[in-house]
């Protein structure tokens, strides 16, 4: 449970958010034309890689490549306090640990813990279960390094959210201990995208295309049916899960599937807080590293305190 009561969500989006929202349709149009293979995939990966190359280490801290990923430490970070395992996004086909190292550090700093961002094999080159197996291996690796499960927090962005829900399912099935807390930012949950398509028909997402999400989800699943227990996240057993915080933008087509996951967790006896941020687009906390976005700063601050109070 969170140990603080302050609600950080504003009643209305900031002026900077309104300006960013006006630019969002360009992103959606680009997604609608994009394909998870061939030249389109190569261009997307090159764009993400160029962005990642400009992401600095956290102020007063460090970021370095380690075996199987990146280790990011903010000011005063100490492994004795635990660690944040951060699963990056990128629709399963792009993205990288370096691209999200500042975001992960922002969530980890209040707890004074380092963040480990594992590399995982991406689709379509390596379809399921490659990425899921890599994330499970990363968690096992932290246990093997001596981190008690009660000092491991797991965080994720976008497609990393689906991998995180899958990780919790895998931990249950393998008998491994669960982490202390889970933070999901704009997570993809229902890989079939039925709820995303239905919501988009009623309230069009200005930023993300459900068609694009469905295409990338399908190449991630590969030959595995989406009804497989490791992929059917909305029907997974959440009994005994640690506290979960979900932060999502109010314009996202993923809202209904996120709400369904939160309801399932609570109905099965767990704690899940779902924060819906008005006027925000997919993965809005990432914008805090590039522009002055009050909602991004506030969301990261709240999430960081959630991480810090997890026991």
């Amino acid at each position: 449970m969170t140990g603080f009561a302050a609600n950080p969500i504003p009643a209305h989006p900031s002026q900077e958010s309104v300006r960013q929202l006006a630019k969002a349709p360009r992103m959606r149009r680009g997604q609608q034309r994009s394909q998870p293979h061939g030249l389109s995939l190569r261009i997307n990966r090159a764009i993400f890689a160029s962005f990642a190359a400009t992401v600095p280490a956290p102020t007063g801290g460090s970021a370095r490549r380690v075996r199987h990923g990146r280790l990011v430490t903010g000011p005063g970070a100490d492994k004795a306090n635990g660690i944040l395992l951060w699963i990056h996004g990128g629709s399963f086909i792009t993205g990288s640990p370096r691209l999200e190292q500042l975001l992960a550090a922002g969530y980890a700093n209040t707890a004074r813990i380092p963040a480990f961002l594992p590399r995982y094999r991406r689709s379509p080159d390596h379809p399921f279960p490659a990425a899921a197996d890599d994330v499970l291996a990363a968690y096992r690796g932290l246990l093997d390094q001596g981190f008690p499960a009660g000092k491991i927090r797991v965080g994720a962005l976008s497609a990393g959210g689906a991998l995180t829900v899958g990780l919790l399912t895998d931990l249950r099935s393998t008998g491994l201990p669960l982490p202390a807390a889970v933070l999901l930012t704009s997570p993809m949950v229902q890989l079939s995208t039925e709820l995303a398509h239905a919501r988009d028909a009623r309230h069009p997402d200005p930023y993300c295309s459900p068609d694009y999400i469905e295409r990338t989800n399908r190449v991630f699943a590969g030959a595995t049916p989406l009804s497989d227990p490791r992929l059917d996240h909305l029907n997974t057993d959440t009994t005994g899960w640690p506290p979960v915080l979900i932060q999502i933008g109010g314009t996202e087509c993923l809202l209904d599937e996120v709400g369904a996951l939160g309801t399932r967790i609570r109905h099965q006896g767990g704690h899940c807080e779902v924060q819906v941020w008005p006027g925000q687009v997919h993965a809005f906390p990432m914008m805090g590293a590039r522009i002055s976005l009050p909602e991004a700063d506030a969301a990261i601050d709240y999430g960081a305190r959630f991480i810090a109070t997890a026991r």
Side-chain angles (χ1 to χ4, degrees):
M1 299 289 288
T2 52
F4 43 91
N7 181 0
I9 303 176
H12 305 285
S14 65
Q15 287 301 309
E16 183 57 40
S17 291
V18 173
R19 286 191 287 270
Q20 292 302 314
L21 190 59
K23 303 176 184 179
R26 288 182 294 178
M27 179 66 175
R28 175 161 178 149
R29 289 193 294 270
Q31 283 190 348
Q32 288 172 329
R33 295 190 298 269
S34 185
Q35 298 294 329
H37 50 73
L39 179 61
S40 181
L41 176 61
R42 293 195 294 273
I43 291 173
N44 278 341
R45 286 181 173 175
I47 291 172
F48 273 80
S50 66
F51 283 146
T54 66
V55 177
T59 302
S62 65
R64 60 189 176 90
R65 186 169 182 172
V66 296
R67 188 181 183 190
H68 303 309
R70 292 184 75 79
L71 184 66
V72 183
T73 57
D78 187 344
K79 289 184 179 181
N81 298 327
I83 196 163
L84 173 62
L85 175 64
W86 186 267
I87 313 303
H88 75 79
S91 302
F92 305 112
I93 63 173
T94 60
S96 68
R98 180 165 182 175
L99 185 64
E100 295 181 25
Q101 65 186 25
L102 273 186
L103 179 65
Y107 281 119
N109 281 348
T110 298
R112 295 183 177 273
I113 58 176
F116 172 59
L117 296 84
R119 290 188 303 275
Y120 58 78
R121 287 169 289 176
R122 300 177 302 186
S123 302
D125 316 68
H126 305 282
F128 180 84
D133 288 347
D134 291 346
V135 169
L136 178 59
Y139 188 89
R140 285 184 186 271
L142 295 180
L143 294 176
D144 291 343
Q145 291 175 45
F147 287 102
K151 287 196 172 184
I152 299 174
R153 291 80 153 178
V154 181
L157 178 73
S158 192
L163 291 171
T164 298
V165 176
L167 170 65
L168 296 176
T169 300
D170 288 344
L171 294 178
R172 292 291 301 275
S173 65
T174 56
L176 290 172
L178 298 175
V182 173
L183 168 66
L184 303 176
T185 305
S186 293
M188 295 178 186
V189 181
Q190 187 188 48
L191 297 185
S192 66
T193 66
E194 293 170 3
L195 291 176
H197 276 288
R199 181 172 184 86
D200 191 69
R202 303 190 312 271
H203 307 286
D205 186 324
Y207 191 79
C208 285
S209 163
D211 291 335
Y212 174 77
I213 296 172
E214 182 177 6
R215 287 195 294 272
T216 57
N217 287 356
R218 294 288 178 181
V219 299
F220 164 68
T224 306
L226 297 180
S227 58
D228 185 283
R230 296 180 74 189
L231 296 178
D232 189 8
H233 301 316
L234 286 184
N235 286 312
T236 194
D237 181 5
T238 69
T239 306
W241 274 20
V244 177
L245 171 64
I246 303 178
Q247 298 178 319
I248 187 166
T251 69
E252 297 195 48
C253 62
L254 304 175
L255 267 171
D256 289 350
E257 59 193 71
V258 162
L261 177 63
T263 298
R264 184 172 183 83
I265 293 171
R266 292 188 291 271
H267 281 177
Q268 295 186 341
H271 170 78
C272 181
E273 178 182 0
V274 178
Q275 293 183 337
V276 180
W277 291 71
Q280 302 309 305
V281 299
H282 184 67
F284 72 95
M286 277 285 288
M287 294 185 183
R290 297 187 288 107
I291 61 174
S292 178
L293 186 66
E295 288 87 350
D297 295 339
I300 292 171
D301 177 70
Y302 189 94
R305 288 184 287 140
F306 169 78
I307 291 292
T309 57
R311 295 290 185 271

